[in-house]
Amino acid sequence: MTEKSNRLGEYLQARRGLVTPEQAGLPDVGRRRVPGLRREEVAMLAGISAEYYLRLERGRDRNPSPQVLEAIARVLRLDDEHMTYLRTLVAGKPRKTRRRARVETVPNSTRALLSTLPCPSFVEGRYFDILAANAMASALSPRLSVGGNQLLDVFLDPAEQALLLDWEGTLECYVSSLRQAVGPDTDDQRFIELVGRLSVASPRFRDLWNRHDVSTQRGAPVLFDHPQVGEITLHRERLAISGAEGLTLTMYHAEPGSEDADKLALLASSTLQPVDGHGPDRRAPIHPPTGELRN
């Protein structure tokens, strides 16, 4: 954390703007210049002085006690993940500046595993870069290939947006997961480039980023509208790769014996592409087939 940065204050300000007076048990009296709770209201409900809370938001005090943090978290309605994130923002031991870009390397054994998996599977890095993928991943989405970035695609690529039926929910998931992934390591060059590009290109990203939501991306059903097989629901599983910090093996699988499983098998038969694990840094555009296989 640099002397000029005030990540704790920015977080507190963003989160209090998301809590309504009604949620806090306060009467909503008078016109408010900004949404959410006022500073003095947070202080009163947390049982601390308004002057002290103001010092926290303005970065004049960066080391509140655990009791104060817990009181503020209760007022701001923070869940366990947000509380854990809040603790990372409190001043502690100075962190060494990262001088080299993080190198993300997929283990050879994981590359070999990809070719044996009978479902769309790929390895993603800390910031959702696609580092390796099997043929079925590309059959599900041509953008799931080496050099791609899922975060950029869901915000900036119309084809990816059309593929995801719950597009808005996906945006929220990726942004909150990005905050969780970076933690206090905001001087990481890849993170700076990614957030900078999205902040310039996407007003929706800016809105979501300013909320300071935090969550871990978990396994969940995902509904696709695929140009070849139509609507298909696949279960997403994310597994940490042992010995490769920050790398995750992501797989999409269908319920056995279901119509979705039949559609997934149809996608599998439509491609014989080899495993893509040594491709260029940026993929060439791949256009999905125009013909539909719907009944």
Side-chain angles (χ1 to χ4, degrees):
M1 182 180 291
T2 66
E3 290 299 319
K4 293 183 179 180
S5 67
N6 181 22
R7 297 178 63 234
L8 175 61
E10 291 171 358
Y11 182 73
L12 294 177
Q13 183 176 0
R15 298 311 299 185
R16 71 176 169 85
L18 300 176
V19 180
T20 66
E22 291 81 4
Q23 289 174 323
L26 298 174
D28 190 6
V29 179
R31 187 174 181 179
R32 292 174 179 264
R33 293 181 300 169
V34 294
L37 298 178
R38 301 184 177 101
R39 292 190 184 95
E40 58 268 24
E41 291 172 336
V42 175
M44 177 189 67
L45 293 170
I48 60 179
S49 72
E51 179 183 357
Y52 180 62
Y53 182 78
L54 179 62
R55 292 208 308 271
L56 290 177
E57 276 207 5
R58 292 187 173 176
R60 295 173 183 169
D61 189 317
R62 304 191 183 197
N63 196 20
S65 69
Q67 293 79 9
V68 168
L69 282 183
E70 290 174 4
I72 293 174
R74 173 179 49 80
V75 175
L76 299 183
R77 304 169 67 88
L78 303 183
D79 59 21
D80 290 343
E81 285 188 313
H82 282 85
M83 185 61 190
T84 298
Y85 180 77
L86 175 61
R87 291 191 182 101
T88 70
L89 303 181
V90 175
K93 294 181 180 180
R95 205 168 37 81
K96 293 182 179 180
T97 302
R98 187 181 303 279
R99 296 186 178 182
R100 294 183 179 180
R102 180 188 296 266
V103 177
E104 297 182 312
T105 303
V106 180
N108 290 333
S109 58
T110 303
R111 293 184 186 276
L113 174 64
L114 281 175
S115 63
T116 70
L117 296 175
C119 58
S121 307
F122 55 92
V123 175
E124 61 184 1
R126 189 182 187 195
Y127 303 128
F128 310 109
D129 294 306
I130 305 298
L131 305 177
N134 66 9
M136 285 195 66
S138 295
L140 179 62
S141 170
R143 291 156 293 281
L144 291 177
S145 56
V146 171
N149 179 279
Q150 294 179 89
L151 197 63
L152 292 175
D153 287 335
V154 296
F155 276 99
L156 306 180
D157 193 316
E160 191 70 11
Q161 295 165 9
L163 181 67
L164 298 164
L165 287 179
D166 184 16
W167 178 57
E168 183 63 29
T170 301
L171 299 184
E172 295 174 2
C173 176
Y174 274 117
V175 172
S176 60
S177 297
L178 178 63
R179 272 207 183 274
Q180 177 82 343
V182 68
D185 199 17
T186 53
D187 62 350
D188 186 287
Q189 189 59 38
R190 177 57 178 158
F191 166 77
I192 294 171
E193 293 171 353
L194 191 60
V195 171
R197 179 176 174 183
L198 285 166
S199 297
V200 170
S202 173
R204 185 59 183 143
F205 175 83
R206 294 196 298 271
D207 291 341
L208 291 174
W209 188 247
N210 289 334
R211 288 173 56 93
H212 288 250
D213 287 328
V214 179
S215 70
T216 301
Q217 199 176 50
R218 299 180 176 89
V222 180
L223 183 59
F224 298 92
D225 185 10
H226 197 275
Q228 289 180 265
V229 299
E231 292 189 8
I232 177 173
T233 298
L234 300 176
H235 297 278
R236 181 186 66 209
E237 308 293 344
R238 303 182 76 252
L239 306 176
I241 298 175
S242 177
E245 182 183 358
L247 270 58
T248 303
L249 173 62
T250 300
M251 299 172 287
Y252 287 104
H253 63 97
E255 193 72 27
S258 66
E259 182 180 353
D260 294 317
D262 293 339
K263 291 180 178 180
L264 190 58
L266 188 60
L267 278 179
S269 66
S270 70
T271 177
L272 296 175
Q273 295 178 359
V275 173
D276 187 359
H278 299 277
D281 288 341
R282 283 303 306 177
R283 65 194 184 283
I286 304 175
H287 302 286
T290 56
E292 295 189 347
L293 299 180
R294 300 172 181 163
N295 292 329

